[in-house]
Amino acid sequence: MKPDRFMHTTMWAGAFAVTASIAVAQDGPPDEVTEWTFQPAFDQTDAGWDNGLIPWVEAVEKATEGTVKIRVEPAGALVSGAEAFGAAAAGLTDGYAGWGSVYGGDMPEGMLAFGMAMGANNTEEAWEVMWGNPDYRVGDIVQEAAHARNLHWAGWTNQGPNAMFTKFRVEKMEDLEGHKMRAGGPQAIFHSTMGGAPVSMNGGEIYTAIKLGTIEGTYWDTGGIDDMSFHEVIDYAIMPGWNPAQHQEIFINLQSWNALTDWQREKIDGVFEETYFETSRMHAEGVEEALQILRDAGGEVIELSPEEVARMREKSIAEVWPQVAAASDGNAKGVEIFKKFLEDKANAQ
């Protein structure tokens, strides 16, 4: 041992003792409380508030033993809903929740997390292809894209089917041709591919636009139609939806995330899966309630035939998925994994 490297054995022993004490200190809750402010792309009227974001916040605070506290402000309180993703990335807020990073406009890979057209059928399938099966792990692609945008993906929930809610009957995909419907991002890709005319507008404008006849319906998460009072202006819900498992994500500013201790980060990552399945179950209950409210209002729930679902899936894979893949290299890789997932599932049946 060279003299200039270690002067005395006692110095090495002291350094080791200090290092060990730090390690022990980090193996549990820190003394200081970290306070975060989140603003999602939605407010308290959205199903994602009570059934998605707030349960996750409560789980994080419990898992970190109160050393991380999160204040949630509704869209518009700090920035607009459309600006919320960028605000979290820039560090103006500590976190964000929303859909496909506002349908993939801010981060194309968000469309993979939002859900593919006629892709995963339910919560279990979505988890398998995104995180649960090491043969797929599409979630790693989304996480890499999030980190590149100064964010960490920390939460996820299946809001149930994203479906068509219309003033006209839809029993086959050709019935969408020529109809004007509110649709954004991947919804617009799907609707235009089916021959429809997508119209972009803010969520708060949809009700009036349908009532006035400006549009003939909207794409929306099924569990949220009663929250938006859509049952008052639409006549039909078309199930199982163009996206049978529509998801919402939660992201944390990367600097805020890295400022936590290893213990805190481990605890927060540890609630990802359990909150996913719990909040997805809560949303599923909301879906049934919303559809019943539509029926009670005189509306009709149309279930597409298995043959029509198969036709729609085939067209989606052939024509919609390539448009999603073209948005980024990560999307292209994710789409191929989704294809493999469906092929493996078909071969297993």
Side-chain angles (χ1 to χ4, degrees), residues 101-289:
S101 310
V102 190
Y103 300 147
D106 295 306
M107 187 176 78
E109 295 79 7
M111 288 191 282
L112 301 173
F114 180 74
M116 300 292 290
M118 307 308 296
N121 285 316
N122 51 50
T123 296
E124 289 72 23
E125 286 187 5
W127 181 261
E128 181 181 4
V129 70
M130 192 64 63
W131 292 111
N133 191 323
D135 291 339
Y136 310 122
R137 295 282 299 189
V138 176
D140 291 332
I141 298 172
V142 181
Q143 187 69 280
E144 182 179 354
H147 285 179
R149 287 163 178 79
N150 200 39
L151 295 165
H152 179 77
W153 185 16
W156 200 37
T157 184
N158 176 12
Q159 293 191 283
N162 188 288
M164 295 88 81
F165 301 95
T166 68
K167 298 288 290 183
F168 57 95
R169 293 188 69 85
V170 178
E171 295 179 331
K172 57 184 183 300
M173 58 187 177
E174 288 81 3
D175 293 337
L176 292 168
E177 188 170 350
H179 288 286
K180 295 170 63 177
M181 291 182 61
R182 189 268 188 179
Q187 302 166 348
I189 294 174
F190 175 85
H191 191 59
S192 61
T193 300
M194 298 298 157
V199 178
S200 177
M201 65 174 61
N202 292 328
E205 301 171 353
I206 298 173
Y207 179 98
T208 301
I210 297 175
K211 189 171 185 178
L212 295 176
T214 306
I215 56 176
E216 300 168 86
T218 186
Y219 287 79
W220 203 260
D221 61 283
T222 304
I225 58 174
D226 56 321
D227 297 327
M228 302 296 288
S229 299
F230 290 154
H231 59 282
E232 298 177 1
V233 291
I234 59 103
D235 298 315
Y236 304 100
I238 317 303
M239 305 301 288
W242 74 277
N243 178 357
Q246 174 223 292
H247 287 75
Q248 192 177 83
E249 308 88 52
I250 297 170
F251 295 97
I252 301 170
N253 173 271
L254 198 56
Q255 271 71 49
S256 299
W257 174 253
N258 288 335
L260 299 177
T261 67
D262 291 342
W263 180 88
Q264 288 172 312
R265 288 193 294 268
E266 180 181 349
K267 291 297 181 180
I268 294 174
D269 276 340
V271 306
F272 193 115
E273 182 174 357
E274 65 183 67
T275 56
Y276 171 71
F277 282 99
E278 174 59 18
T279 58
S280 297
R281 181 194 61 76
M282 295 168 66
H283 278 296
E285 293 177 353
V287 167
E288 295 306 317
E289 293 173 4

Side-chain angles (χ1 to χ4, degrees), residues 61-96:
E61 292 183 344
K62 180 179 179 181
T64 61
E65 300 181 20
T67 64
V68 175
K69 295 188 177 297
I70 303 173
R71 177 170 60 93
V72 180
E73 296 285 354
L78 304 175
V79 296
S80 70
E83 297 171 316
F85 180 86
L92 299 177
T93 63
D94 298 291
Y96 159 88

Side-chain angles (χ1 to χ4, degrees), residues 1-21:
M1 182 179 296
K2 295 182 179 180
D4 59 347
R5 185 175 181 185
F6 291 114
M7 292 180 64
H8 299 286
T9 303
T10 53
M11 181 179 291
W12 163 250
F16 178 82
V18 171
T19 303
S21 66

